[in-house]
Amino acid sequence: MVSESNTFKIVILQGGADNEANLYSLPDCQKKKNLFRFSGSVYSLDFNSDGTKLAVGADSPDVKLFDMANTESAKNLSGHEGGCTCVSFDPLGEY
């Protein structure tokens, strides 16, 4: 799956079975860093409308929320009993 941040000119490519969310730079497609290794496959990722936040849903009960200015840490959004198959930001940024 692929998602692009216009703010940071990066692309995230995730091969679901490898359990990783990785940052790659454009246009050379060089791996920039591994954001996080999940305990199961990554199912969904989404940037907010200005590209400053990234949500990642995987085969685990927590959604990871990354601030793209500091990708070293992530907030856990918990409350699911199973994996999270879809994440999405409000495109208008109201909620």
Side-chain angles (χ1 to χ4, degrees), residues 42 50 70-71:
V42 172
D50 65 4
N70 175 14
T71 58

Side-chain angles (χ1 to χ4, degrees), residues 31-51:
K31 186 174 179 178
K32 188 173 177 181
K33 71 180 294 185
N34 173 270
L35 279 178
F36 195 81
R37 180 154 178 85
F38 292 85
S39 59
S41 298
V42 172
Y43 294 134
S44 181
L45 50 89
D46 191 34
F47 282 103
N48 66 346
S49 60
D50 65 4

